[in-house]
Amino acid sequence: MTNYTPLHNRVRDQLEIRFGQDLKPGERINEAEIAADLGVSRTPIRTVLRQMQSEGIVEYEQHRGFRLVKSTERVAKSDTESSALLDERVMRDMALGKLGSPISERALMQRYSVAHGILMSTLRSLMRDQLVEPTASRGWIFADVGANALANGYRFRQIVEPASMLADIYEVDIPAIEALDAEHQNAISNIETMERRRLFDLDAKFHRQVALGAKSTHLVDAIERQNNIRRVNEYIGFTRLDRIRDSMMEHRKIMAALLIGERQLAAALMRVHLQISRAETFEHIDEDLELVRTGRVKLGMDDA
């Protein structure tokens, strides 16, 4: 171990992650595939595997190569920690506009020094949120979540969200709105102790529920898409609890108007709410991104 070069150390880290993620004890280790995935030759991989053989992690069989013997607790822990770290790093780079599109899987693995399985776990999560999509050539296109995309999203929402409540077919789901209002009331009372993730999810849930009343799957899909774009950038601002409290109170006023059938009032309140939210977001966006750039605010799904 003491004779390892930085390259050997990187290969060792990535092999341990891969063994915790992609392989099970007893399975063969494909050196050529690993070398291609990591963008290195087979020589450093063979050197590290021999060291791992002396530690009892892998074993070598003549003419058959190496196979995995055991996955240690340390490897499993590395896998979990690496997944969480990668989620955080990718979301940060998206917010800062550092990921060009399209970008290959190999380039992503080299950029973040992770094994293929860890990378795919993060990419699948981002795909569920419609923040990345695959290309035909094993590349990936990341959604634009920068300031321009956020501004365009606000303009779109200011047009469609108030208008949706004025549609002839609009229907208020009274039990759902009442339950959502109760969630808001609880959040306002416990805002100091609630996780940012839960606060953001409640905000997104409100806007989705309002959209559902218009009976348009296209509208709901569009709002969910906007919520996911906001999740990367606007999520940063969920440290300003005074604004989040005010926003929740604005939501409650909109819901109260809907519950008594005052859709014109609800639409007007929604328009004002979005104007205030947009102004607040862009007033602080530069300082918020600086907090991300310096690592003082995390963008992962769990709070630090």
Side-chain angles (χ1 to χ4, degrees), residues 12-281:
R12 172 73 186 233
D13 289 342
Q14 293 175 344
L15 284 179
E16 289 185 348
I17 294 169
R18 177 178 286 263
F19 293 165
Q21 177 78 21
D22 296 340
L23 289 180
K24 295 179 181 178
E27 293 183 338
R28 299 289 167 188
I29 298 167
N30 189 326
E31 296 177 44
E33 180 181 286
I34 293 173
D37 284 347
L38 302 186
V40 300
S41 72
R42 294 175 65 175
T43 301
I45 293 174
R46 179 61 65 90
T47 299
V48 173
L49 286 172
R50 285 175 179 152
Q51 174 64 39
M52 298 176 96
Q53 179 184 6
S54 71
E55 299 170 14
I57 296 174
V58 303
E59 67 178 17
Y60 181 79
E61 296 181 5
Q62 191 71 25
H63 306 303
R64 301 191 69 185
F66 289 93
R67 73 178 182 90
L68 185 64
V69 174
K70 65 179 180 179
S71 295
T72 65
E73 291 183 3
R74 178 171 60 87
V75 171
K77 181 179 179 183
S78 176
D79 175 38
T80 300
E81 291 178 346
S82 295
S83 293
L85 177 61
L86 181 59
D87 289 351
E88 168 67 24
R89 293 175 68 193
V90 171
M91 291 182 74
R92 181 189 64 200
D93 284 352
M94 290 180 70
L96 297 176
K98 291 186 175 181
L99 291 178
S101 293
I103 184 170
S104 70
E105 289 178 11
R106 178 175 295 184
L108 288 167
M109 286 188 292
Q110 291 176 339
R111 178 182 181 88
Y112 297 111
S113 297
V114 295
H116 186 258
I118 298 292
L119 174 66
M120 291 308 298
S121 177
T122 290
L123 290 174
R124 283 192 293 268
S125 176
L126 292 172
M127 281 181 66
R128 287 193 295 270
D129 286 343
Q130 302 176 62
L131 292 173
V132 68
E133 60 183 35
T135 68
S137 57
R138 294 192 70 182
W140 294 84
I141 298 176
F142 288 85
D144 178 6
V145 297
N148 287 338
L150 199 57
N152 287 334
Y154 267 111
R155 284 192 288 271
F156 170 78
R157 294 171 62 208
Q158 285 176 294
I159 294 169
V160 302
E161 290 195 58
S164 71
M165 290 184 280
L166 301 179
D168 292 340
I169 200 173
Y170 195 87
E171 181 178 331
V172 178
D173 185 337
I174 292 178
I177 293 294
E178 288 178 339
L180 188 57
D181 183 63
E183 287 187 71
H184 275 65
Q185 187 172 9
N186 178 67
I188 292 170
S189 299
N190 298 283
I191 200 165
E192 299 288 344
T193 58
M194 287 186 70
E195 295 177 352
R196 288 187 301 134
R197 165 71 182 269
R198 289 183 61 194
L199 291 171
F200 184 91
D201 284 349
L202 183 56
D203 178 273
K205 184 178 180 180
F206 164 77
H207 288 282
R208 184 179 188 277
Q209 183 61 53
V210 170
L212 282 170
K215 309 296 183 183
S216 168
T217 56
H218 294 298
L219 176 62
V220 174
D221 288 345
I223 295 302
E224 288 185 339
R225 167 73 168 170
Q226 291 302 317
N227 283 338
N228 289 328
I229 290 175
R230 291 194 302 127
R231 187 179 299 277
V232 178
N233 253 332
E234 195 172 331
Y235 179 77
I236 308 168
F238 270 63
T239 54
R240 293 190 294 277
L241 294 183
D242 286 345
R243 172 56 200 153
I244 303 310
R245 184 184 290 108
D246 290 344
S247 180
M248 294 288 176
M249 293 173 66
E250 291 162 15
H251 287 182
R252 294 198 69 198
K253 290 178 181 178
I254 294 168
M255 289 187 285
L258 288 174
L259 288 172
I260 62 174
E262 293 288 347
R263 289 194 286 144
Q264 289 280 357
L265 175 59
L269 290 171
M270 176 66 83
R271 189 173 296 106
V272 172
H273 166 66
L274 291 172
Q275 288 172 345
I276 295 173
S277 295
R278 182 185 187 281
E280 175 74 14
T281 296

